[in-house]
Amino acid sequence: MRRFEGYAVLITAAGSGIGAATAHRLAEEGASVLVSDIDGAAAGKVAASIREQGGTAREFACDVGDKAAVEAAVAYAVEAFGRLDVLVNNACACHPDAPLFEDEDDGEWAVDLDITLTGAYRCARAALPHLVASGRGAIVNIGSVNGIQDFGNHAYSAAKAGLASLTRTLAGHAGPRGVRVNLIAPGTVRTAAWAGRDEQLDAMRELYPLGRVGEPKDIAAAVAFLASADAAWVTGAVLPVDGGTTAVSSGFKIMRG
């Protein structure tokens, strides 16, 4: 199934994990993909892999904390592909909590909010005129179950909750202009952030009703749905893709301790 023939897509933090899996999935379905990441070399490897598999991809080094870099990435996507139809906001930052809340660091709090929430705002603001012009524009924000209930990480969770709110308000603004805006809230996903912690991941699977943690391709499949015409009457939605963890009392607090 090639739902994205003729589409141009920009994905942030696409050099690995969820972003890379999403880039591959949308390219397999026919999209031309701009793989952007703060690590330009990582973005280049993903884009090269897509091209080796017969897809269309370019790479662009972009720090979503930098307004000029974001605007340059959007401009490059439009120049390279002639249009922009889909933006996937995947970039985030997550610092560990201090043992006591009163010891939290202002700088770490600011970074988590700036990259995770304000970065998505910068990207959406730069991309929106082009998404409107496409006539089928869509933004898919990658949130987290942390923005729905308590799994720790104060700053990251606040940023993800803010991203869900931005999804709703932007959906209301952009809907009459022909652009849909939705958010996916993943649970635990096996990415590089969990490198070296296989035992912890194995223990976590028992806390998920579906009996496993997520894989990047699980989130990529949900992005493909929300970005496609299959979701043409879906906007402002928060879609948990979490193996059922937000539907039940999972015991994560016990593990976190």
Side-chain angles (χ1 to χ4, degrees):
M1 182 164 51
R2 293 174 65 85
R3 292 175 289 185
F4 296 101
E5 290 285 356
Y7 279 65
V9 178
L10 168 59
I11 306 172
T12 66
S16 64
I18 291 170
T22 300
H24 276 281
R25 174 63 185 260
L26 298 187
E28 287 166 5
E29 293 202 36
S32 298
V33 180
L34 182 61
V35 180
S36 73
D37 198 283
I38 194 169
D39 183 341
K45 289 179 181 178
V46 173
S49 176
I50 290 171
R51 291 192 295 269
E52 288 169 3
Q53 295 171 22
T56 301
R58 303 275 187 95
E59 65 270 10
F60 196 91
C62 178
D63 176 1
V64 301
D66 182 335
K67 176 176 179 285
V70 166
E71 292 175 347
V74 170
Y76 182 79
V78 174
E79 177 185 1
F81 305 134
R83 58 186 300 122
L84 184 62
D85 302 282
V86 176
L87 168 66
V88 181
N89 281 314
N90 179 56
C92 69
C94 180
H95 286 87
D97 289 337
L100 295 176
F101 183 76
E102 55 266 38
D103 295 329
E104 290 288 320
D105 181 79
D106 280 2
E108 292 180 351
W109 176 276
V111 168
D112 282 10
L113 265 68
D114 184 61
I115 300 302
T116 307
L117 176 56
T118 309
Y121 152 78
R122 292 185 187 102
C123 292
R125 181 178 59 186
L128 190 57
H130 304 287
L131 299 175
V132 170
S134 85
R136 56 188 181 191
I139 298 173
V140 182
N141 295 320
I142 306 300
S144 173
V145 293
N146 285 56
I148 298 174
Q149 62 190 51
D150 174 26
F151 295 104
N153 298 108
H154 302 296
Y156 171 81
S157 298
K160 290 297 192 181
L163 187 56
S165 180
L166 177 62
T167 296
R168 291 186 288 269
T169 58
L170 187 52
H173 170 80
R177 303 171 70 187
V179 177
R180 298 179 300 103
V181 188
N182 293 290
L183 179 140
I184 294 166
T188 305
V189 177
R190 193 186 304 274
T191 66
W194 289 93
R197 293 190 283 170
D198 289 341
E199 287 187 9
Q200 190 174 0
L201 280 177
D202 287 342
M204 279 186 171
R205 68 186 180 185
E206 297 182 7
L207 303 177
Y208 282 90
L210 291 183
R212 65 175 178 88
V213 299
E215 301 293 340
K217 65 181 181 181
D218 294 317
I219 312 307
V223 173
F225 165 66
L226 287 175
S228 77
D230 288 342
W233 210 45
V234 181
T235 197
V238 171
L239 174 64
V241 182
D242 64 358
T245 191
T246 53
V248 300
S249 177
S250 65
F252 264 95
K253 286 192 176 183
I254 295 174
M255 287 204 60
R256 213 174 62 223

